């Protein structure tokens, strides 16, 4: 069985559809036509068990997909897949559209200030209810100016000024970052 950590989820299975073994799926990709190129997939069930399955047929139904797995020909035969994730190898992931990013690709990016100082690293990008945020850990030499603890910097224009994919860094407003820090550095920074 392949290691599912090297896979990404492209859709979540919902419920059986019709009498021929189709199952509805909610796409988790920006490309709604993506189902047409899916063939061999890994399905991770809600209990963590994974199965290697082959997609025999697929159709789009409004914003959902209808998937038919080879060897599963009745609604009862796909019932155990409900709420499972359909996954593909990371190497099969489509590139993000121009100006958009996969959140996990930004992990490990360096954090620069507007004046070009390299001050820390993006530990992860966190999806919050109202905005995505960069979890930033400051380098030791900048902890006295910013914080010894990591901070969540919201992905908004006032805070994140630019993202450089080629250089693998984000540019943040240093005053905004200081305001996020739990320690009071307002007197030191001036």
């Amino acid at each position: 069985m392949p290691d599912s950590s090297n896979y990404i989820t492209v859709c979540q299975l919902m419920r059986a559809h019709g009498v021929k073994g189709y199952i509805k799926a909610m796409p988790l990709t920006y490309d709604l036509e993506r189902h047409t190129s899916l063939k061999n997939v890994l399905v991770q069930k809600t209990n963590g068990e994974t199965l290697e399955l082959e997609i025999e047929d697929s159709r789009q139904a409004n914003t959902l997909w209808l998937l038919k797995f080879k060897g599963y020909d009745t609604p009862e035969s796909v019932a155990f897949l409900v709420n499972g994730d359909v996954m593909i190898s990371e190497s099969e992931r489509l590139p993000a559209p121009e100006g958009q990013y996969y959140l996990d690709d930004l992990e490990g990016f360096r954090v620069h200030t507007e004046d070009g100082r390299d001050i820390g690293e993006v530990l992860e990008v966190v999806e919050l209810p109202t905005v995505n945020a960069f979890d930033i850990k400051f380098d030791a030499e900048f902890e006295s100016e910013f914080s010894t603890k990591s901070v969540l910097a919201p992905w908004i224009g006032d805070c994140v000024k630019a993202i450089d994919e080629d250089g693998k860094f984000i540019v943040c407003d240093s005053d905004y970052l200081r305001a996020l820090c739990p320690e009071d550095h307002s007197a030191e920074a001036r």
Side-chain angles (χ1 to χ4, degrees), residues 32-69:
L32 289 181
E33 297 294 319
R34 182 73 168 111
H35 68 94
T36 61
S37 62
L38 298 176
K39 188 71 173 161
N40 294 307
V41 296
L42 192 67
V43 175
Q44 186 169 37
K45 296 178 3 183
T46 55
N47 66 3
E49 180 186 342
T50 57
L51 302 164
E52 292 180 75
L53 297 177
E54 182 179 337
I55 295 179
E56 185 177 284
D57 189 30
S58 67
R59 300 181 213 149
Q60 189 170 333
N62 296 319
T63 59
L64 299 177
W65 296 341
L66 301 176
L67 303 178
K68 167 79 173 71
F69 296 107

Side-chain angles (χ1 to χ4, degrees), residues 72-84:
Y72 296 84
D73 301 321
T74 65
E76 296 78 21
S77 68
V78 295
F80 76 103
L81 298 174
V82 170
N83 295 324

Side-chain angles (χ1 to χ4, degrees), residues 15-17 27-28 31 41 49 51-52 55 62-63 70 73 80 83 91 99 104 108 114 121 132 139 144-145 173 175:
R15 64 181 181 278
H17 177 80
L28 301 174
D31 182 3
V41 296
E49 180 186 342
L51 302 164
E52 292 180 75
I55 295 179
N62 296 319
T63 59
K70 187 174 186 173
D73 301 321
F80 76 103
N83 295 324
S91 63
D104 60 332
E114 327 77 84
E121 179 181 357
N132 293 331
D139 292 343
S144 63
E145 180 181 347
D173 181 280
D175 290 334

Side-chain angles (χ1 to χ4, degrees), residues 1-11 39-45 49-54 69 84-89:
M1 205 46 62
D3 177 10
S4 63
S5 66
N6 297 324
Y7 283 73
I8 58 164
T9 303
V10 291
C11 67
K39 188 71 173 161
N40 294 307
V41 296
L42 192 67
V43 175
Q44 186 169 37
K45 296 178 3 183
E49 180 186 342
T50 57
L51 302 164
E52 292 180 75
L53 297 177
E54 182 179 337
F69 296 107
D85 293 330
V86 175
M87 302 161 56
I88 58 171
S89 169

